Structures are given as structure tokens and as C-alpha cells.
Amino acid sequence: MKHQQSSMYVDLQQYQLHLRRLMPLQNALSPVLFLHGAIENGRIFYSHSGKGLACYLADQGFMGYCADFAGRGLSQPSLSKGFAQNQHQVITRDIPALIEFVYQQHQQPLTVVAHSWGGVLLAASLARYPELISKVRAKVYFGSKRVISVQSLERKIKIDWLWNRLAPWLGAKYGYVPAKKWGFGADNEPTAFLLDTISWINGAPFADLTDGFDYAAASQQTNWPPSWHFAAVNDKVLGHPADVQQFIKETCQHQANYTLLGRQYGHLQDYDHISMLTHPAAGDDHFAKLGHWLATVTS
């Protein structure tokens, strides 16, 4: 590895958000904040052995900060019965605090990279607080969608049955959603957060479920920084290419780059929702192209 890793914490009083910092050994470039999706944590972007997008970019000279949302990963305290967090808190409190923290570390705008649902929360936060955009140089999305419109057997199993029915039942029983224990996620989830995602996934308006703030309308007035959306040909439900494109349209990111990852489009693999960030071939594929693009937009 050409970088060193260490842990930092952002203190928000009720909880502390963990950041895994990846520091290049030399020639540090601009900072990158990584935001994970639902039922996962920051490890989707890095490993201690040097695998993952954050490690790849750190080896190219980019300062990386992989966040764990409240209760997930190494954030404190861990999820337990009674831990309350919803989407509103992440959008209005946690993401702004993370952006501000990384900005203050370097006194320069940062890139934000998001996977899956993390991209929805990022877009909502930036649309709600346009003053944050001056601190964001670029943003990158992997498999981010807000509404799941695709109809298939896989959707019925993963969304209609598991996410919409089993997960809320588990949340009511345990006080949080033990997705890791039950084998359908890399990390657990607060129950209130899960219930919020269900509303949006199933097509509720892009408005805040706590105070009604209209994210769709705000997006129309947002001057987005340079953006790149990635989708994968084998992502059949959780980030279906059609739903990714609809998310781009809904948030008025008309100038954004869009890339569909698959062999038929010149890539090394037919990637899916997870492998687009974890496959060994990614470093010689879209990671390299993204690194070159970031060097251009952040110079």
C-alpha cells in the first residue's frame, strides 16, 4: 500500500461518527469523503489490506475519509434497542457535519463519493443546504437510485418481502434491524431509518418525511458541482440502470456523466451493485478512469 490508515471521530454529542482516514505516503492531493448506503458501512470502500476504491485513490495521492453513519461500523455507540435515527437526521445533521469536518481539515473543497442510498441522502443534503456546495468540488455516485421501479422475482424477494415486510418486523422485535445477523446486509440499520427508506423506495414524493421539505423542487434550483453516476449491467434491482437514470433526472443533474459498467460497453467485467466497488478488476477499469477524472476536476 502507498498510504496509511487511521481512525478519526466526529463528535455530534448523541453519537460519534467514525471516519477511516487514508493518508497517501507522499504527494497528497485533494480530499475525498466516502458515504456508504443502507445495511452497510464504510468498509464498502476500503479494507485494511488495501483493497477498494478509497485505497486505490489513496495510492494515487487522494486523501480519503470513509464515514460510518451513526450506529454503523466503528461509530459509537453501536446500534442497540432504543437507538433512534431517521433520514432527516442524516440529511440535516450528519452529512453536513462530515462535509464541514473534512473541509476544515484541508481548507479546500472536497469530492464526495457515495454508494447506493448514500447518494440519495447526499443529493438531498446538498439540495437542502446549497451553501455546502461551495465546499464540494465534485461528487460521484455508484448505483444510486431513489425509487425502485423494476418489477421482477428478485424485486419481490429482496424488496417486497425482505425489505418491506421482514425488516420492519425485525426492527419492531429487536429495536433495530439486525441485517448482519440475519444475513441480508453487511451492517445493521436503525428502524426509523429503514421505514423512511421504504417510503421513498416505493415511490413517495422526494420530500422530507419529517418536516416536508421538498427536495425535488430544491434540486431544480441547485447548481450541482461536476458529477459522475455509475450503474452496472448486473445490478438488477438495488441500482437498476433505469432507476439510476431516473434519479439523475429527478434531481436535475442533467450535466452529469453517466457510465454503465459491463463488458458490452468496453469494461472488464459485468459488474453488479456490490462488485462495482469490490471486484479485483475494478482498479484497472473504472477506478483508473475515475482517478484521472478527479485529477482533472480537482486540479
Side-chain angles (χ1 to χ4, degrees), residues 5-291:
Q5 297 185 20
S6 60
S7 288
M8 309 175 73
Y9 289 86
V10 179
D11 188 356
L12 295 180
Q13 297 184 342
Q14 293 95 335
Y15 45 79
Q16 291 76 47
L17 300 179
H18 171 256
L19 283 169
R20 189 67 174 177
R21 182 175 63 176
L22 296 86
M23 180 182 295
L25 296 180
Q26 56 185 345
N27 300 326
L29 301 175
S30 61
V32 182
L33 171 65
F34 297 85
L35 303 177
H36 64 80
I39 55 173
E40 62 185 24
N41 55 50
R43 291 291 296 275
I44 188 68
F45 295 110
Y46 76 95
S47 70
H48 297 301
S49 62
K51 299 175 182 178
L53 176 58
C55 295
Y56 176 87
L57 291 178
D59 288 344
Q60 306 305 309
F62 292 93
M63 283 287 302
Y65 296 86
C66 300
D68 292 330
F69 287 135
R72 289 78 138 188
L74 296 179
S75 291
Q76 298 296 327
S78 299
L79 284 185
S80 60
K81 188 174 184 179
F83 187 101
Q85 190 197 49
N86 58 17
Q87 284 190 157
H88 178 81
Q89 291 169 275
V90 179
I91 293 167
T92 63
R93 178 179 169 88
D94 296 4
I95 291 178
L98 290 166
I99 290 174
E100 183 65 31
F101 180 85
V102 175
Y103 179 83
Q104 291 300 330
Q105 296 297 306
H106 299 272
Q107 294 296 313
Q108 63 172 292
L110 53 138
T111 296
V112 187
V113 177
H115 180 229
S116 194
W117 203 252
V120 179
L121 303 177
L122 171 63
S125 192
L126 293 179
R128 184 165 185 144
Y129 302 111
E131 64 272 16
L132 287 175
I133 292 178
S134 65
K135 299 177 180 179
V136 176
R137 195 186 303 267
K139 53 190 179 66
V140 182
Y141 301 83
F142 284 88
S144 292
K145 75 322 167 175
R146 188 182 74 84
V147 177
I148 296 180
S149 64
V150 62
Q151 297 296 325
S152 64
L153 178 59
E154 184 179 356
R155 183 240 161 83
K156 290 183 181 299
I157 294 171
K158 291 184 176 180
I159 303 302
D160 298 341
W161 182 78
L162 194 157
W163 197 253
N164 292 351
R165 297 184 181 182
L166 177 62
W169 180 82
L170 292 172
K173 177 179 176 62
Y174 290 94
Y176 65 96
V177 182
K180 189 173 182 179
K181 176 181 178 180
W182 281 68
F184 61 89
D187 210 330
N188 303 323
E189 205 71 79
T191 304
F193 183 93
L194 168 91
L195 295 176
D196 283 349
T197 70
I198 289 174
S199 294
W200 279 3
I201 283 172
N202 289 319
F206 193 21
D208 198 278
L209 295 161
T210 298
D211 66 7
F213 183 90
D214 191 335
Y215 296 113
S219 294
Q220 296 178 14
Q221 307 301 319
T222 300
N223 185 21
W224 298 109
S227 306
W228 196 344
H229 290 254
F230 290 90
V233 294
N234 278 342
D235 195 345
K236 303 299 186 182
V237 174
L238 300 179
H240 192 281
D243 292 335
V244 169
Q245 290 178 305
Q246 179 57 36
F247 175 60
I248 296 171
K249 181 179 179 180
E250 179 179 49
T251 50
C252 299
Q253 300 183 67
H254 304 303
Q255 302 303 314
N257 295 332
Y258 170 78
T259 295
L260 184 54
L261 299 171
R263 288 190 174 94
Q264 68 194 91
Y265 302 105
H267 301 103
L268 298 176
Q269 298 290 326
D270 288 333
Y271 297 96
D272 61 26
H273 196 63
I274 300 298
S275 69
M276 63 168 68
L277 287 173
T278 61
H279 198 285
D284 295 321
D285 206 350
H286 50 290
F287 286 7
K289 295 175 184 176
L290 176 59

